[in-house]
Amino acid sequence: MSKNSIKVFAPATVSNVGPGYDILGFALQTPGDEVILKLTNSKGIKINKITGVKKKLPFNIYKNTATVALASLMNKYEIKEGIEVTINKKIGVGSGLGSSAASSVASVYALNHLLNLKLKKKQLLLHALVGEKISSGSMHADNVAPSLFGGFILIRSYNPIDIIKIKYPNNLYCTIIYPQIEIKTSYARKILPKKVELSKVIQQTGNLAGLIYGLSSSNYNIISRSLTDVLIEPIRSKLIKGFQEIKKSSISAGALGCSISGSGPSIFALSNSLSMAINIKNAAKLVTDNLKLNTIFYISKINKRGPKILD
Ligand code: HSE
């Protein structure tokens, strides 16, 4: 018997990953958003409930990232079913952890399974991106793609879209330090320069190539040497109180590297064991407590698979 509802989890993501602005991201095991879709007799899409957010998110289906993604998919495949949507936000809005991307991904993944559309993830990608665009104002794929495919993803090209899965060491851990402020992605993009110096581009591409090589050959030393962003972090880090101190304490505690997650305010630090990831959290917490920054921490391995059906 076919089901008339489905509940899907889609993971939070760390995008940019130091030198990979707009082209590199990875998925976390925790946190993640949940979307429940229910078939109804009435026509069209309706948002029934949104939980887990302090700030109001739009119930207008043309303004909510999850339903914009769904509508795009339904238009493309001429799907006429009535769909009622519940969104359980578990990722902070404006956290830099790919909150809008996760909701978009969970929606399209859920519809694909609920209606047995048998679409490939690659076919869902574009629709999830349309959803992401409505909230961030740009069609970057470095949150959506890792949330959908899992693992580390390189977006080699946007036109045409070319997604490459990057190998990474099995015991890679991520510590997330999420100070409770909101940074709008659209603002964090607006403050970036349109042009950058060639010498900086050389440094950045050297680090990016090193990072990809270090990840795919499980060489922690090269990962560590390469996890540096000379273009974006110096500008955006000014928006995050305590960033330099948190970064310094994470590196002293043994992090392979530390930078801003997406457009911030979350900060990520990579390490090669759970005990190291916990040490980093403890070291960063001393700083955030000292600065009286209300902060949430997550420790997660890399999420290999992306979304999962919960019910
Ligand atoms: N690559 C994007 C940016 C991610 O840094 O603006 C936003 O979540």
Side-chain angles (χ1 to χ4, degrees), residues 111-272:
L111 193 73
N112 191 32
H113 283 269
L114 182 63
L115 300 181
N116 201 15
L117 301 174
K118 297 196 165 66
L119 298 172
K120 298 220 158 61
K121 284 186 174 179
K122 228 178 155 182
Q123 293 169 288
L124 300 177
L125 177 69
L126 175 74
H127 305 288
L129 280 174
V130 173
E132 162 79 303
K133 187 173 180 219
I134 203 79
S135 80
S136 69
S138 80
M139 201 109 152
H140 58 271
D142 52 342
N143 292 112
V144 164
S147 184
L148 182 59
F149 292 95
F152 261 89
I153 299 287
L154 171 71
I155 297 114
R156 190 207 54 87
S157 152
Y158 273 89
N159 191 15
I161 190 99
D162 186 4
I163 301 286
I164 300 174
K165 271 198 152 199
I166 306 292
K167 284 194 189 142
Y168 55 90
N170 193 31
N171 54 339
L172 198 59
Y173 283 80
C174 180
T175 305
I176 296 287
I177 301 127
Y178 168 27
Q180 296 294 284
I181 53 169
E182 182 186 344
I183 295 181
K184 283 203 158 65
T185 299
S186 50
Y187 176 73
R189 295 178 78 83
K190 215 165 70 192
I191 60 172
L192 299 177
K194 295 275 167 293
K195 292 185 176 167
V196 291
E197 260 178 54
L198 184 58
S199 64
K200 291 251 161 65
V201 174
I202 294 168
Q203 273 180 274
Q204 192 87 345
T205 47
N207 280 324
L208 180 62
L211 181 57
I212 302 290
Y213 178 81
L215 285 168
S216 45
S217 61
S218 293
N219 187 323
Y220 291 115
N221 200 305
I222 298 181
I223 294 173
S224 184
R225 298 207 305 273
S226 310
L227 230 164
T228 301
D229 168 14
V230 296
L231 290 179
I232 313 296
E233 185 188 294
I235 300 164
R236 285 183 171 172
S237 57
K238 297 196 176 89
L239 304 176
I240 307 166
K241 189 176 166 196
F243 175 81
Q244 298 303 345
E245 295 96 311
I246 292 168
K247 179 170 174 169
K248 230 170 119 187
S249 70
S250 302
I251 303 285
S252 304
L256 298 166
C258 173
S259 188
I260 303 170
S261 175
S263 53
S266 290
I267 298 165
F268 76 96
L270 291 180
S271 56
N272 59 11

